[in-house]
Amino acid sequence: MKKTRFTEAQIMAVLRQMEGGVPAAELCREHGMSSATLYKWRAKYGGMDASLITKMKAMAEENRRLKRMYADVSMQNDLLKEALGKK
């Protein structure tokens, strides 16, 4: 998974500045990021606080882990069906 340069607290600070009326172009120049990144953050994290972002990331990690577990069990099931079908 790609690591971000910015922490949740930094993202929230940038979004608060944007809500405060600072133009997007100025924020992008100041923090060294693209305007697309800023607008993606606003779409994804708008209206959240830092604790909600942390919870969301933890849930995404748990979801990734559960999907991997399901894929492993599904693969084992397919192998067992194939092995029993040959007998």
Side-chain angles (χ1 to χ4, degrees):
M1 187 154 125
K2 185 179 176 185
K3 294 288 184 177
T4 179
R5 287 185 351 180
F6 299 96
T7 64
E8 291 93 10
Q10 290 172 327
I11 292 171
M12 294 308 302
V14 170
L15 290 177
R16 275 192 220 105
Q17 286 179 342
M18 188 174 185
E19 289 172 0
V22 178
E26 185 178 325
L27 282 174
C28 293
R29 196 174 329 109
E30 179 182 330
H31 295 285
M33 61 185 178
S34 70
S35 60
T37 300
L38 181 64
Y39 290 116
K40 282 182 186 178
W41 285 351
R42 189 177 70 176
K44 188 172 183 180
Y45 302 120
M48 291 187 185
D49 60 354
S51 64
L52 287 176
I53 292 175
T54 305
K55 286 179 186 178
M56 184 182 68
K57 287 193 177 197
M59 288 177 69
E61 178 64 27
E62 182 179 1
N63 192 23
R64 184 193 59 76
R65 185 181 56 83
L66 291 173
K67 283 182 179 180
R68 182 176 292 168
M69 284 174 45
Y70 175 77
D72 290 342
V73 169
S74 177
M75 189 181 343
Q76 289 174 355
N77 187 18
D78 289 344
L79 289 173
L80 287 173
K81 283 183 181 178
E82 187 178 309
L84 290 175
K86 289 183 180 178
K87 289 185 178 181

